């Protein structure tokens, strides 16, 4: 077992001629919470999508718990079982209840018996505060509730790392807190998390490390108190002066 | 102007028999077309490029040529290759192959209409592409496919009148034969039209009913 859950070496990613990720090097330790901040279009979401193989990369290497996922012939489905992915738009399956959303992958991918999968699903729904919504369809849930079900759905696969792609950006302000609370709880329990976020308060409070991505490059990274209170790079100073009102 | 609808009344039993032939040939064609179309539609979105190309060529060829010509090709053309089919079978095969192309496009459209995030979420949970397709994409696509499928079935039922040209005594052919005896064109064709309408209306009710049964809110 490797010391790093996620290790990125010299990653470069292009959309056509557009160079969206430039020489990214990033390592995430077990139990670490890393927030990725940066302006829209800086490549944050793309980086996250590369990490679980949803986006092909043009050069470099990505290792998930020691397995190189950018090598030829790698079994991506197998690797993805250990990576939870939370999307901005939830992507719950609309034709299934919350419970079915959560039990589908454990049953089909891990061949878990239904009773067992449902027991775990109910436990997870309780954890995210939505036990009573087990039989609700996504259309009957608020945005914040959908996102919490999505988190439970990912946790049901017992991942080694959870990745969040702007998990609260599509939410009504009053439901943001419930989702952030669930994420904070996860962090407290020692879950390894990579969070792409615009929630600076969350990044400051919960992260062990903050990474600032600017125009496809990691320009600065460090503990939140360094990044937020003593940013060194002029681009980071400029970005933070725009997003934080003090 | 004098209409003699008693001629239609007398023709009803024959027209009814013709209508059942139309129903039989159409339903068999629908089954064949659905089978071919589901395979073609899936092939159009399959990760394998060769499969996509073959399905694409089939769909383009069939949609780019008239059904009447396809019927003639199967019935009059295939015997040149030593394959003699009776008219009914030739009709079903030609119509089934024809409908398969349209159903294929409907299936492809339905699959592609499901937001990309659904596939991504399923893959992220560790499902394979095939599992994601089967458990996540297809059940949602199916609900969206139903209304255009209903249209295709109705079009196919009406187009089945073309097999009257290869001497199948379906509804249209039966009407023609009766008119050669009675010369009551208006009355008989009105009756034929009414029979077609009743059958297409039946299909549209069945499709509507299934839609309502299967709908979930998105």
């Amino acid at each position: 077992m490797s010391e790093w859950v996620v290790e990125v070496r010299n990653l470069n990613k292009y959309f056509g001629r557009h160079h969206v990720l430039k020489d990214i090097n990033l390592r995430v330790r077990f139990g670490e919470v890393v927030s990725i901040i940066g302006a829209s279009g800086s490549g944050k979401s793309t980086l996250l999508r590369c990490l679980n193989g949803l986006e092909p990369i043009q050069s470099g290497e990505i290792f998930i718990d020691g397995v190189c996922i950018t090598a030829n012939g790698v079994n991506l489905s197998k690797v993805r079982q250990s990576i939870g992915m939370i999307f901005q738009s939830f992507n719950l399956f609309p034709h299934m209840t919350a419970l079915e959303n959560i039990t589908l992958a454990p049953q089909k991918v891990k061949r878990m018996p239904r009773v067992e999968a449902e027991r775990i699903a109910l436990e997870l729904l309780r954890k995210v505060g939505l036990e009573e919504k087990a039989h609700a369809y996504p259309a009957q849930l608020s945005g914040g509730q959908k996102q919490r079900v999505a988190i439970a759905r990912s946790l049901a696969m017992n991942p080694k790392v959870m990745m969040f792609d702007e998990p609260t950006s599509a939410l009504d302000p009053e439901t943001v807190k419930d989702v952030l609370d669930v994420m904070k709880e996860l962090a407290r329990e020692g879950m390894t998390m990579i969070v792409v976020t615009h929630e600076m308060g969350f990044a400051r409070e919960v992260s062990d490390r903050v990474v600032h991505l600017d125009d496809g490059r990691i320009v600065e990274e460090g503990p939140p108190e360094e990044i937020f209170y003593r940013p060194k790079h002029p681009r980071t100073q400029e970005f933070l002066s725009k997003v934080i009102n003090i | 102007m004098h209409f003699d609808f008693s001629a239609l009344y007398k023709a009803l039993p024959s027209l009814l028999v013709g209508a059942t032939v139309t129903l039989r040939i159409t339903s068999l064609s629908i089954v064949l077309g659905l089978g071919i179309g589901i395979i073609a539609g899936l092939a159009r979105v399959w990760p394998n490029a060769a499969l996509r190309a073959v399905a694409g060529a089939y769909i383009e060829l069939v949609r780019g040529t008239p059904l009447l010509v396809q019927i003639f090709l199967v019935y009059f053309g295939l015997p040149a290759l030593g394959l003699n089919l009776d008219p009914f079978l030739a009709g079903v095969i030609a119509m089934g192959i024809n409908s398969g192309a349209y159903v294929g496009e409907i299936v492809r459209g339905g699959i592609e209409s499901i937001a990309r995030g659904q596939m991504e979420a399923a893959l992220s949970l560790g499902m394979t592409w095939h599992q994601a397709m089967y458990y996540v994409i297809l059940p949602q696509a199916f609900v969206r496919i139903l209304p255009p499928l209903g249209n295709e079935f109705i079009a196919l039922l009406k187009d089945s009148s073309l097999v009257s040209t290869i001497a199948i005594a379906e509804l249209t052919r039966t009407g023609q034969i009766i008119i050669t005896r009675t010369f009551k064109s208006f009355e008989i064709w009105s009756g034929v039209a009414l029979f077609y309408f009743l059958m297409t209306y039946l299909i549209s009710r069945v499709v509507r009913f299934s839609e309502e049964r299967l709908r979930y809110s998105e």
Side-chain angles (χ1 to χ4, degrees):
Chain A
M1 196 156 105
S2 155
E3 174 187 3
W4 312 100
V5 189
V6 174
E7 185 173 3
V8 179
R9 291 184 198 157
N10 306 317
L11 184 159
N12 281 282
K13 161 87 186 161
Y14 295 80
F15 283 126
R17 275 199 217 145
H18 188 47
H19 197 174
V20 285
L21 292 174
K22 300 164 185 164
D23 260 331
I24 302 286
N25 284 285
L26 180 70
R27 291 195 289 195
V28 179
R29 222 181 286 276
F30 276 95
E32 201 178 13
V33 177
V34 174
S35 291
I36 302 176
I37 61 169
S40 298
S42 58
K44 309 183 295 290
S45 294
T46 306
L47 174 57
L48 210 58
R49 293 165 56 81
C50 289
L51 293 185
N52 82 340
L54 283 178
E55 293 284 351
I57 66 170
Q58 275 65 47
S59 73
E61 289 171 307
I62 299 169
F63 296 85
I64 301 291
D65 195 21
V67 177
C68 180
I69 69 160
T70 42
N72 277 332
V74 68
N75 184 349
L76 264 182
S77 301
K78 183 88 187 145
V79 176
R80 284 177 180 138
Q81 290 176 36
S82 55
I83 308 172
M85 183 80 174
I86 299 301
F87 301 89
Q88 185 179 348
S89 51
F90 330 122
N91 296 343
L92 289 182
F93 308 136
H95 59 304
M96 296 179 181
T97 64
L99 192 71
E100 289 165 344
N101 264 276
I102 301 170
T103 55
L104 180 68
Q107 285 185 87
K108 303 306 174 191
V109 178
K110 289 193 164 173
R111 304 268 158 224
M112 190 184 285
R114 203 178 89 168
V115 184
E116 171 78 351
E118 287 185 348
R119 188 185 60 75
I120 292 172
L122 285 170
E123 221 167 80
L124 288 168
L125 279 173
R126 194 174 315 133
K127 184 188 178 85
V128 300
L130 289 172
E131 206 183 358
E132 79 285 0
K133 297 290 185 186
H135 299 289
Y137 282 88
Q140 297 163 315
L141 302 174
S142 74
Q145 291 171 334
K146 283 182 201 170
Q147 196 60 298
R148 284 184 281 154
V149 171
I151 291 172
R153 180 173 70 174
S154 283
L155 290 175
M157 290 300 284
N158 198 16
K160 292 182 179 132
V161 51
M162 286 285 286
M163 301 188 187
F164 297 81
D165 185 8
E166 301 192 25
T168 58
S169 296
L171 299 181
D172 292 329
E174 70 270 20
T175 69
V176 168
K177 186 177 174 298
D178 292 335
V179 173
L180 292 182
D181 284 347
V182 168
M183 291 169 63
K184 284 176 195 170
E185 176 64 23
L186 275 181
R188 258 197 301 276
E189 291 170 3
M191 174 61 80
T192 310
M193 293 164 63
I194 304 177
V195 187
V196 165
T197 187
H198 290 294
E199 298 284 340
M200 293 305 150
F202 175 85
R204 191 161 43 190
E205 185 186 340
V206 181
S207 317
D208 298 307
R209 188 150 50 103
V210 177
V211 173
H212 177 219
L213 206 59
D214 181 81
D215 193 26
R217 226 179 268 286
I218 294 180
V219 292
E220 188 166 355
E221 63 178 304
E225 51 274 20
E226 291 285 324
I227 300 287
F228 286 109
Y229 299 111
R230 294 177 293 278
K232 292 186 190 70
H233 198 282
R235 298 292 297 174
T236 310
Q237 292 164 358
E238 187 191 339
F239 172 69
L240 288 173
S241 72
K242 283 179 188 157
V243 294
I244 296 182
N245 344 299
I246 302 173
Chain B
M1 191 96 45
H2 171 72
F3 294 124
D4 178 12
F5 279 97
S6 70
L8 174 57
Y9 182 74
K10 271 181 252 163
L12 278 183
S14 307
L15 290 179
L16 197 60
V17 172
T20 59
V21 175
T22 291
L23 264 187
R24 250 172 51 219
I25 198 165
T26 304
S27 37
L28 288 172
S29 307
I30 284 176
V31 171
L32 181 61
L34 264 182
I36 297 176
I38 289 170
I39 292 169
L42 278 171
R44 289 282 279 153
V45 297
W46 213 257
N48 183 320
L51 213 53
R52 283 203 302 273
V54 170
Y58 155 69
I59 289 170
E60 288 304 329
L61 272 176
V62 168
R63 288 198 312 172
T65 50
L67 175 57
L68 187 59
V69 174
Q70 292 162 8
I71 291 169
F72 287 167
L73 192 61
V74 171
Y75 184 61
F76 297 116
L78 287 188
L81 306 176
L83 197 58
N84 283 292
L85 300 169
D86 76 80
F88 187 86
L89 190 57
V92 168
I93 289 174
M95 285 186 15
I97 289 176
N98 179 274
S99 184
Y102 292 94
V103 172
E105 280 298 271
I106 291 169
V107 169
R108 179 187 66 82
I111 291 171
E112 287 179 349
S113 78
I114 304 301
R116 211 175 58 159
Q118 291 288 308
M119 176 58 89
E120 291 181 349
L123 292 179
S124 298
L125 287 165
M127 285 187 228
T128 62
W129 187 89
H130 299 93
Q131 287 176 322
M133 198 41 118
Y134 187 77
Y135 295 113
V136 175
I137 306 297
L138 287 182
Q140 297 182 59
F142 184 67
V143 180
R144 294 200 189 165
I145 283 171
L146 269 180
L149 265 191
N151 288 340
E152 167 56 20
F153 296 161
I154 287 170
L156 192 64
L157 185 130
K158 293 185 293 180
D159 286 347
S160 72
S161 63
L162 289 173
V163 300
S164 61
T165 56
I166 54 171
I168 297 175
E170 41 65 79
L171 184 54
T172 298
R173 182 89 181 117
T174 306
Q176 281 172 335
I177 292 167
I178 294 168
I179 289 164
T180 56
R181 272 201 329 262
T182 62
F183 304 104
K184 303 290 184 194
S185 283
F186 184 81
E187 295 84 342
I188 301 298
W189 284 130
S190 302
V192 167
L194 182 68
F195 269 106
Y196 274 115
F197 174 75
L198 289 176
M199 290 189 285
T200 56
Y201 189 70
L202 177 76
I203 294 179
S204 89
R205 295 313 303 174
V206 169
V207 169
R208 176 64 56 85
F209 176 75
S210 332
E211 265 175 68
E212 275 161 14
R213 284 292 301 278
L214 287 168
R215 191 163 24 203
Y216 55 89
S217 44
E218 291 186 27

